[in-house]
Each structure stands twice: as C-alpha cells, then as structure tokens.
Amino acid sequence: MRYVDEFRDPAHARVLLQRVRERMALPALRQRHPVRIMEVCGGHTHTIFRHGLEALLPAGLELVHGPGCPVCVLPRERIDDCVAVAAHPGVILATFGDALRVPGTRASLQQARAEGADVRIVYSPLDALALARAHPQREVVFFALGFETTMPATALTVLQASRERIANFSLLCHHISIVPTLQALLEDKDVQLDGFIGPGHVSMVIGSHPYEFIAHRYQKPFVIAGFEPVDILQSVLMLLSQLAAGEACVENQYARVVAEGGNRQALAAVSEVFELREHALWRGLGDIPRSGMRLRQTYAAFDAERRFGLFDMAESVAPEPASACCDQVLKGCCQPKQCPLFGSECIPEHPVGALMVSSEGACAACYQYRR
Amino acid sequence: MRQLVETLFAEAFDNPYLAKMEDQARLDLSALQAVGDRLAFATDSYVIQPLEFPGGDIGRLAVNGTVNDLAVGGARPLFLSCAFIIEEGLPLPLLQRIVRSMADAAREAGVKIVTGDTKVVPRGQADGLFINTSGVGVIPKGCELAATRCRPGDAVLVSGTLGDHGAAILNARGELGLESQWSSDCQPLHGLVEQMLARCSQVRALRDATRGGVAAVLHEFAQASACSMRLFEAALPVRPEVRGVCELLGLDALHFANEGKLVAVVAAEQAQALLAAMQAHPAGHEACIIGEVLAGPAGQVQILTGMGSERLLDLPTGELLPRIC
Ligand code: SF4
C-alpha cells in the first residue's frame, strides 16, 4: 500500500535505529540520560505500542505518552451531557464510535443506547447532517469531538446546515486545541521533557507556526511527525540531532502531508464558525484556559448547549480516585504500569482514569499491547 | 403471509424429508452410521444488516455458518433445520431472493434443509429478518480435532485473507463512502476440511474465524491448550482494500469477522503438506502459515511485528468501534 508500506519497511527502520543508538552515545546526549521525548498525539502512542517501538529503542531514551487523545481527555461530565441530551424524546444523538464506550459519571453512551436512547455512530459530521435531513421530525444532535483535525469538518457542516436552513440539527461542541495544553505542560515544574514529537493530523490543519514558541521560549526541539513506525523513528532521530547540536527548532518530518502554513480554507471555516471558550476542562489535567471551542453567536441556532439548556461545563468536575496516577502518567512522571490501579481496578472495560479509555490512551495501549 | 411463506419454503428447499410434511424430520440411522461413528450437532442464529451484501446474504450466511461449525469438527454436514423470524412488512421479493439463495447454498454445500419454522412478528419487533439454523453432521471414526491438542512447536495456518466479510459488511452499510468493491468471503468449508484431513494425519484443531476474527480463535486455542500463540505480522494475508478500511478506521483485520476462513493448527513436520493441501482447494488457495504454538505463557497471543519486536494481540471485546478523531 503506497504511503504505508514504505514507512513500515523493517530495513529502513533498522538503519534509523542504528543511527538513534549512535546519537544517544554522543557525549552531549550521554550526560542528559534519560532523554525524555513526549509524543503529543494519541495516534503516535498507538503506533508506538502497536509496532512495539519502545522495546527497540536504546536505554536512556524514554518516550512519554502525551495528552493528545481527544477521547482520553474527555471529562465524564461531557458524556453525562450527551446522555442527558440523548434521553430527550425525539432526539437522535450522532457520535463518532470513539466516544461510545467512554464512561460518564453514571453511564456511557453505549449503555444509554442499550437503555433505549437513539445513539448512532457516524463517520463524519456530514453523516449526522444527512440524518437530520432524512428525519425532519426528529432532533439530530452531533457530538462534535476532537482537536483541529476534526474541527474543519464540523465547521463546514454547520455552514452547510446554515445554508440549507436545517432546523433540526445541532452540535454538542467539545472541540479542543492542543497548543494551550502543551504550554500548560511546559509551565509545569514536575514535567521534565527534552523534546516533542508533534501531532501530524492537527498540524495538517494549523501548520507548523503555532508551535514556534515551544522552540523559542522553552528551548525544546519539536518535530511534526507522520504515523508510521519509520516516521516516528525518523522524528526521534531528528530530535536527538537537535539536542546533540544544542539547537531547538520546529521541524516537519511529515512534509508529505503537512504544509508549513496549514490548510487556509479549513482554518477560515473554523474561525468563521467557532470561538474560544474562556475555560475548558480536560480529564486528568483540569481547567486549561482558552483551550476549548464553542459556536459563535451567529450560529447559536446550532448550539445544543443552548437548545437543551446545558450550563457551562467548566463548572463542576468529579475527581479521579486518589490512588489513580493519571496526571502523573500524562505528565510523564510515571509509567502506566506503576499506577496501583493498572490492570486491576482500571482496565479498558471499566476504566477508572481517562488514559484507559481509548486504545490511544497510554494506559489502554500499554494494557492492550504490553501488559 | 404465513401460507405464502410456507409454500415458498417448501418449493425452494424441496426434498423427500420435507415433503413428508410431518412435524419432524426422520433421519435414517443406518445411513448416518455408514459415514462415521459420532453425530455432530450445532446451532447458530443469524442477525445481520444489510440483509443482502456483496458476496452473500443472510440466507447464504445461515447455511454456510452452520455447515462450517460442523465442518471444523471434522464432521460431514448432512442436514439443517431453519427457523425464520420475519418482521411484518419485509418486502416479499427480498424474502424470495433470500430463500432461493439459501436453497442454492444448501445445494452447493450438499446439505438438506429438512425441517423449519416461520414466525411473523409485528413491525419493530425484529430487524427485518432473523434466521436460526441447526445442523447435524457425522464425524468419521478416528477424527479427533480439539483445541486442547495444540502443542508447542505446532504451526498455525489460515485458509485465506483476513477480514473480507467484516470489511464488506462495514462498507455495504454505505457509511464509509468507499467505492471499492470486494465481497464477503461467505463460503462452505467442509470440502476444504475433508481434503486437509485426508492428506494430513497430524491436524490438531480447526476453527472457523467468524465473530471476533482470527484473534478470537487464537485466544480460544491458547486458553484451551494452556500454550501461547505467536503470529508473524509480516505473514498475515490481508487484501489491500481491507487494509485500507483498517487503516482508515483504526481497526485490526485480525478482529474482523470472516465467513469462510478457518484457522488450523498442525504438527510442525506436516505444516508444508497441510499448506499444499489447502492451497490445492478453491476455498483455501490463499492459505498461509501465519504463526506457531509456544510453550507459554498459557493463554497468551503475541505478534512478532514487522519491526522485529513483540507485542500482545488483544482479545476483541464487543462491538468494533472505528476511531475517527
Ligand atoms: S491505570 Fe487507570 S487510574 Fe492508573 S493512571 Fe492509568 S488510567 Fe489512570
């Protein structure tokens, strides 16, 4: 398969691994051991576990699994909102399959569906809009979830709905942005990181400029990476080269997909439709100011929060149990297996913490592939 | 409606057992004993949307599914029962097509549908059509296939490409918007099994990889035999289109359902012979050796990745959920 197989080529991977080992042996890096690199995006976490990359890396090089899995950082209260909306008579709640098993404080959407709510899996927000067209007498609510990767499609769908004056369609908007969260991590004294593997899909939309502050202000190398094993290894090598040379800049390993300026049309649609929320809750990380999106006043008619009278979600959040180490794992201060709940109380079928929820979460990936 | 349906069935499935119009089919014991020394008896219910899909339909599935459940025990499948639960309002032409396709599938598999039942339920109480089939087959003397017999060192084979059925169904629901046309692998396997057993005496266990896919079968084998299974990722046969669906949705073809693929475990020294026997049969012409049985840890399934590292292969839980965001 083009664009996949060449980036899974074992021979190529072996060459890269050899060069990673050589870099790690350089005096400049030897004194830094352990070198800790965070892969921001859940897609990368998944690739790393699925291809068993950690086991191939030399000692002294650690991968820290970051917060970039939208399902993992979804607060339970947001699922409660979805369940509550789905319980309204006449509502069809449309969601990506990703969110179906995420537990709320009482039930997941999957449980709500089993109890009779009309919850449907869609592959794109346009499918949800099609449901609204097909069922004019029903109220279709799309649970809009994800980073900048999925934001443009939601924005374009709202614009389409507005053009067609579709009255029975709305969004429960939980789009979030990864950039403020990276900044919050960098400000955190507990977090010791030497560089970042940057999110490929998000960058396809926003380009590489929004990360410049990471290199300039915080002096951390940042390499935007693709999702195949060879992409990841090559990005690790690029990061190590920067570190060895004492440099910090934003590089783009995923140039076959990511343009420096991002996707202008997509960005225009996003800023037409959405605005920043003052507050947004992240499961395991708490409130991160100006990291969430909501619909602008112009498109208020499509806002399910207003339609169903949900109050602003930043208000309340149920804490994780005290013995859970989610925040520690998220910040790279501890490995999933070091959490006392890992594999006992906390497993993918009944996750205690967010990271056990989706297979892109560090704990779930670790449980699924390593145990 | 009921009357209509019964005539439809009687015509399509026509055979001397059914024609007697008694409340039960009467099977001649001495004829059965001529084939082997044990009866195999299996049942399964079929619930699928859409009812018709590329490469098959619920009727063909209901015949082949039960035929295959018998076949992987080494049995020669002979007789089926079939029970229909029909939702009121199911279009008659659709039902006719499904019943005819079922009759064709039975003919191709060499089994007779000898008894049946129909219920029509009010709208909303069934999803179009549910079918249950039960089957009876006979196991030849000396044939002892069992998951418990897998031994360290044995080879693991699969009879063809992974996940064709699962991916075809996902695509047939029309939600993926993919143009690509490939079909479900829905087919009977007893001919293939017969050929495998005739040529190799050291086949330990067979199982058809339906729900939960090849991953689920390997977990069953690993648990039953208290061994562990190791797969070679680079050896797994997956059609490019199916791989495309998997990459797109973050799913694993090892978890996808198949409806005409089996997993076989055989003593290492007969692995090549079994492979040749499978490849010589139309239902197994894309067969591959995909792994081996290891001593332990008991119950574990591992994958040797293309990158040369090892990881676990998880047991699929419940519905396969695509990853989009
Ligand atoms: S195992 Fe569960 S509770 Fe522990 S850190 Fe991971 S997600 Fe949190």
Side-chain angles (χ1 to χ4, degrees):
Chain A
M1 207 152 71
R2 247 187 114 208
Y3 295 124
V4 173
D5 289 334
E6 60 226 76
F7 294 96
R8 284 188 189 170
D9 176 17
H12 196 169
R14 272 194 295 276
V15 172
L16 288 168
L17 277 164
Q18 181 54 34
R19 289 166 64 188
V20 165
R21 273 191 289 273
E22 286 162 17
R23 290 286 188 294
M24 285 298 290
L26 292 175
L29 288 183
R30 277 254 288 282
Q31 37 173 292
R32 295 184 83 123
H33 285 196
V35 175
R36 316 181 79 221
I37 291 173
M38 174 178 273
E39 86 278 4
V40 172
C41 170
H44 289 145
T45 307
H46 192 255
T47 303
I48 288 163
F49 280 96
R50 175 163 169 215
H51 297 277
L53 297 186
E54 271 178 319
L56 303 173
L57 294 175
L61 179 56
E62 280 177 25
L63 294 176
V64 176
H65 315 302
C69 158
V71 169
C72 300
V73 294
L74 187 60
R76 277 172 288 185
E77 291 69 14
R78 212 40 173 168
I79 293 293
D80 294 348
D81 287 344
C82 290
V83 170
V85 166
H88 279 259
V91 164
I92 299 175
L93 189 102
T95 173
F96 294 140
D98 311 49
L100 207 69
R101 277 199 208 119
V102 182
T105 48
R106 185 188 71 78
S108 67
L109 280 168
Q110 194 168 31
Q111 286 160 329
R113 187 177 66 177
E115 288 164 14
D118 194 346
V119 177
R120 314 237 185 137
I121 295 179
V122 291
Y123 295 87
S124 106
L126 281 170
D127 297 344
L129 190 60
L131 277 174
R133 273 189 220 106
H135 303 278
Q137 73 294 359
R138 306 279 301 271
E139 184 83 16
V140 175
V141 182
F142 173 63
F143 183 34
L145 180 66
F147 295 111
E148 283 86 349
T149 327
T150 49
M151 255 180 233
T154 310
L156 291 169
T157 304
V158 169
L159 293 173
Q160 181 71 27
S162 162
R163 267 195 302 275
E164 290 182 41
R165 298 175 194 284
I166 294 181
N168 63 328
F169 176 76
S170 61
L171 301 183
L172 208 50
C173 183
H174 192 75
H175 282 304
I176 45 179
S177 173
I178 192 75
V179 178
T181 306
L182 291 178
Q183 179 158 14
L185 278 175
L186 285 162
E187 287 292 336
D188 191 322
K189 297 276 172 300
D190 297 342
V191 181
Q192 300 287 329
L193 295 171
D194 296 296
F196 292 91
I197 297 175
H201 293 144
V202 167
S203 308
M204 189 167 82
V205 176
I206 68 175
S208 59
H209 296 308
Y211 310 113
E212 292 290 346
F213 75 97
I214 296 174
H216 291 141
R217 201 176 326 147
Y218 298 93
Q219 292 299 308
K220 306 287 183 196
F222 193 99
V223 175
I224 296 166
F227 291 87
E228 298 303 329
V230 164
D231 290 319
I232 304 235
L233 293 175
Q234 195 167 46
S235 304
V236 168
L237 186 63
M238 289 163 80
L239 288 166
L240 293 179
S241 303
Q242 285 195 41
L243 285 170
E247 290 168 358
C249 60
V250 175
E251 289 186 278
N252 183 3
Q253 182 276 336
Y254 202 27
R256 65 184 188 275
V257 170
V258 174
E260 211 178 302
N263 181 334
R264 293 237 169 69
Q265 273 173 310
L267 286 171
V270 167
S271 75
E272 162 70 23
V273 172
F274 296 118
E275 63 187 12
L276 281 171
R277 290 179 199 262
E278 279 311 308
H279 296 280
L281 275 182
W282 292 54
R283 191 169 181 176
L285 293 175
D287 179 19
I288 297 178
R290 302 180 68 76
S291 66
M293 310 299 263
R294 68 160 171 237
L295 285 163
R296 287 187 189 277
Q297 188 61 40
T298 330
Y299 299 98
F302 299 104
D303 191 346
E305 273 170 61
R306 298 179 220 214
R307 263 159 109 134
F308 293 89
L310 304 170
F311 57 93
D312 198 337
M313 49 158 306
E315 312 265 309
S316 70
V317 61
E320 314 284 359
S323 51
C325 301
C326 309
D327 55 337
Q328 300 295 312
V329 174
L330 258 182
K331 293 174 188 169
C333 307
C334 117
Q335 292 288 324
K337 281 191 220 174
Q338 293 169 325
C339 171
L341 306 185
F342 180 85
S344 53
E345 272 155 84
C346 187
I347 60 170
E349 284 80 59
H350 47 87
V352 174
L355 301 169
M356 195 56 98
V357 169
S358 148
S359 63
E360 297 193 349
C363 294
C366 184
Y367 183 83
Q368 190 178 355
Y369 291 138
R370 296 290 298 281
R371 221 163 305 175
Chain B
M1 177 80 176
R2 177 100 181 246
Q3 187 76 53
L4 205 70
V5 170
E6 272 164 18
T7 336
L8 176 65
F9 290 169
E11 271 172 28
F13 301 152
D14 182 39
N15 61 59
Y17 301 89
L18 204 58
K20 296 225 166 69
M21 298 292 262
E22 293 292 345
D23 269 357
Q24 71 294 118
R26 298 169 190 186
L27 311 175
D28 183 19
L29 278 183
S30 58
L32 297 176
Q33 271 165 339
V35 184
D37 61 353
R38 281 152 301 161
L39 268 188
F41 183 31
T43 187
D44 209 341
S45 297
Y46 299 84
V47 173
I48 192 166
Q49 277 301 339
L51 296 174
E52 293 179 302
F53 46 84
D57 54 74
I58 188 172
R60 180 165 285 273
L61 202 64
V63 170
N64 288 336
T66 298
V67 162
N68 291 344
D69 282 344
L70 295 169
V72 292
R76 181 188 296 173
L78 294 170
F79 302 107
L80 295 187
S81 74
C82 88
F84 281 65
I85 296 176
I86 302 169
E87 185 185 21
E88 198 178 22
L90 183 78
L92 192 62
L94 174 61
L95 185 64
Q96 278 166 334
R97 283 201 301 278
I98 289 171
V99 169
R100 273 190 213 115
S101 149
M102 217 173 157
D104 290 344
R107 208 170 302 119
E108 287 157 29
V111 294
K112 295 194 163 57
I113 296 173
V114 292
T115 182
D117 178 57
T118 359
K119 295 278 181 306
V120 179
V121 297
R123 217 179 262 271
Q125 292 193 9
D127 194 2
L129 175 63
F130 301 152
I131 302 179
N132 170 280
T133 55
S134 297
V136 170
V138 177
I139 305 176
K141 203 170 160 67
C143 175
E144 299 290 350
L145 297 170
T148 49
R149 294 183 57 220
C150 303
R151 292 283 168 274
D154 289 353
V156 181
L157 289 84
V158 66
S159 65
T161 49
L162 308 180
D164 298 355
H165 176 75
I169 296 301
L170 263 182
N171 199 32
R173 290 191 189 135
E175 292 151 354
L176 298 183
L178 299 180
E179 294 290 324
S180 185
Q181 271 306 314
W182 69 95
S183 301
S184 161
D185 49 10
C186 185
Q187 61 180 338
L189 293 170
H190 61 291
L192 173 66
V193 172
E194 212 164 297
Q195 185 153 319
M196 290 163 69
L197 297 179
R199 299 214 197 155
C200 293
S201 54
Q202 296 294 314
V203 179
R204 316 275 199 215
L206 299 176
R207 203 152 285 185
D208 62 336
T210 52
R211 255 182 99 94
V214 169
V217 171
L218 291 170
H219 274 274
E220 288 162 18
F221 283 179
Q223 262 149 28
S225 63
C227 293
S228 83
M229 304 278 150
R230 177 156 68 174
L231 294 186
F232 316 127
E233 189 176 48
L236 298 174
V238 184
R239 252 176 241 300
E241 302 89 331
V242 174
R243 252 183 86 185
V245 171
C246 291
E247 296 297 331
L248 195 68
L249 303 178
L251 299 173
D252 192 336
L254 283 164
H255 290 164
F256 273 7
N258 308 276
E259 285 297 344
K261 297 288 156 57
L262 58 77
V263 182
V265 174
V266 65
E269 62 272 19
Q270 285 195 346
Q272 290 302 331
L274 185 66
L275 182 65
M278 290 167 84
Q279 288 175 341
H281 192 277
H285 72 279
E286 289 178 300
C288 295
I289 297 176
I290 58 164
E292 62 192 349
V293 181
L294 301 179
Q300 210 176 69
V301 183
Q302 318 161 6
I303 291 195
L304 185 64
T305 71
M307 295 289 125
S309 54
E310 276 184 3
R311 66 159 166 94
L312 292 180
L313 174 66
D314 209 16
L315 187 65
T317 46
E319 188 180 359
L320 294 180
L321 295 175
R323 282 206 320 265
I324 306 283
C325 61

